[in-house]
Amino acid sequence: MNEEPSPGRPVELRHLRAFLAVADELNITRAAARLRLTQPAVSRTLAALERHLGVRLVDRSTHHLALTADGVAFRDKAATAVAAFDEALDSGRLRTWPLRLGHAWSAFGPYTTPLLRTWQERFPGTPLELLRIDDRTAGLTRGEVDAALLRGPVDAPGLVAEVLFTEVRVAAVTADGPLAARPSLELADLADGPVVLNTVSGTTTVDLWPPGARPAATLTVGNTDDWLTAIAAGRGSGVSTASTAELHPHAGVAYVPLDDAPGVPVLLARRDAPGHPKLPQLVSLAREIIARDPARRPPERAPGEPPR
């Protein structure tokens, strides 16, 4: 089989699928087994793609494969292209085009249920699929979703985002530990023991603490479930947002107000490119639902009182 891209059709879908398999497995043999191809065929396909792009996507200089900087940047583009192709050929979605909304944790906070219910009432022909994906952009850069609810700053290229509201932070501590009985806590109260950090989807890093008062030790996990389990087991404390306390109750975890931590912006992000036609309606509805919340409305002014 000739793996070289032809002049009329320089890159085919199989080249992208082969690269993505290698990027996921970081092993040619496992990638070949996943694609049901031979190892030489995958190697030739990958080499042909690299020749066409004029860059190295995979570093083969070590015993273990690794993506180059160009490979990391290309992976999201390739994943988006493959996802769009598969979506277009999904016969079950020819008549309905679901709007996929990703989140890494806590979704839209207290507004999650109102958003889903109101959307169903107003747009019954366009299902709104809420997908939890343990990834900093909740699958948005990989093309797995059309939009994403994210927390904290997002630096991924090719995305645009707007702040919908700001959440206060809370401390998450072991339910039967001494900190759970306190009416409120400060960051310094958590720094004496280990702090559990969700490095994949969370927003808390050691930079939340002043340089001279950072936690004595940290424990890193990859998702919200492991974060809760570690705290419940007494392996450390954590910092999250108020919506985590509402949407992720846990018998072994107590959430306590945190007095001196800055709030976390909740963003609605999308790719900076043409996308799902119902994205403008999603943005408008999200704003509308937040505006319904009396706690977020500006206080009413008495007659003659100047604006606050």
Side-chain angles (χ1 to χ4, degrees):
M1 184 194 311
N2 181 16
E3 304 296 339
E4 191 71 35
S6 63
R9 189 172 52 184
V11 173
E12 299 176 5
L13 196 62
R14 60 191 173 86
H15 293 93
L16 302 184
R17 291 196 192 279
F19 165 69
L20 290 173
V22 172
D24 288 344
E25 302 290 347
L26 293 178
N27 182 283
I28 295 291
T29 301
R30 290 197 298 269
R34 174 170 155 182
L35 295 167
R36 298 183 181 180
L37 297 171
T38 65
Q39 181 177 338
V42 173
S43 296
R44 289 195 302 269
T45 303
L46 178 60
L49 178 62
E50 290 179 318
R51 282 194 296 272
H52 172 77
L53 295 174
V55 297
R56 290 185 65 190
L57 301 174
V58 177
D59 184 359
R60 305 170 180 80
S61 61
T62 61
H63 294 296
H64 301 285
L65 295 185
L67 294 184
T68 64
D70 288 323
V72 172
F74 185 69
R75 177 175 54 187
D76 290 339
K77 296 180 180 179
T80 299
V82 171
F85 180 87
D86 291 341
E87 178 84 10
L89 294 187
D90 186 346
S91 60
R93 301 192 176 199
L94 290 179
R95 291 182 177 82
T96 60
W97 184 358
L99 177 55
R100 302 163 302 171
L101 180 60
H103 72 103
W105 48 285
S106 296
F108 201 22
Y111 309 117
T112 302
T113 298
L115 177 70
L116 295 175
R117 287 182 175 176
T118 306
W119 183 274
Q120 175 63 25
E121 292 169 1
R122 295 189 186 177
F123 309 105
T126 304
L128 180 59
E129 297 181 352
L130 188 63
L131 306 172
R132 174 181 159 182
I133 299 175
D134 290 317
D135 172 79
R136 186 64 192 93
T137 66
L140 186 57
T141 57
R142 299 200 301 263
E144 297 179 33
V145 296
D146 303 295
L149 292 161
L150 307 176
R151 285 168 170 79
V154 179
D155 327 357
L159 299 185
V160 293
E162 65 173 286
V163 177
L164 296 175
F165 64 99
T166 300
E167 286 188 311
V168 297
R169 293 189 199 245
V170 297
V173 299
T174 308
D176 57 358
L179 296 180
R182 301 267 294 273
S184 66
L185 295 169
E186 296 184 350
L187 288 169
D189 297 320
L190 306 180
D192 291 336
V195 172
V196 185
L197 303 176
N198 180 354
T199 57
V200 175
S201 56
T203 59
T204 301
T205 70
V206 293
D207 293 333
L208 185 62
W209 283 260
R214 288 179 174 165
T218 60
L219 170 66
T220 59
V221 297
N223 57 60
T224 303
D225 294 333
D226 292 346
W227 181 79
L228 289 167
T229 299
I231 295 170
R235 301 182 66 188
S237 303
V239 177
S240 191
T241 62
S243 62
T244 304
E246 292 184 42
L247 300 179
H248 296 280
H250 193 292
V253 176
Y255 295 99
V256 182
L258 197 54
D259 292 337
D260 60 343
V264 176
V266 179
L267 315 174
L268 183 59
R270 61 175 177 79
R271 289 183 293 278
D272 189 12
H276 196 288
K278 283 289 194 295
L279 277 174
Q281 287 85 348
L282 177 65
V283 175
S284 297
L285 181 58
R287 292 179 185 147
E288 176 188 327
I289 287 174
I290 293 170
R292 293 179 194 168
D293 185 354
R296 298 190 182 276
R297 293 179 193 155
E300 294 184 4
R301 289 184 284 121
E305 182 183 356
R308 302 180 184 182

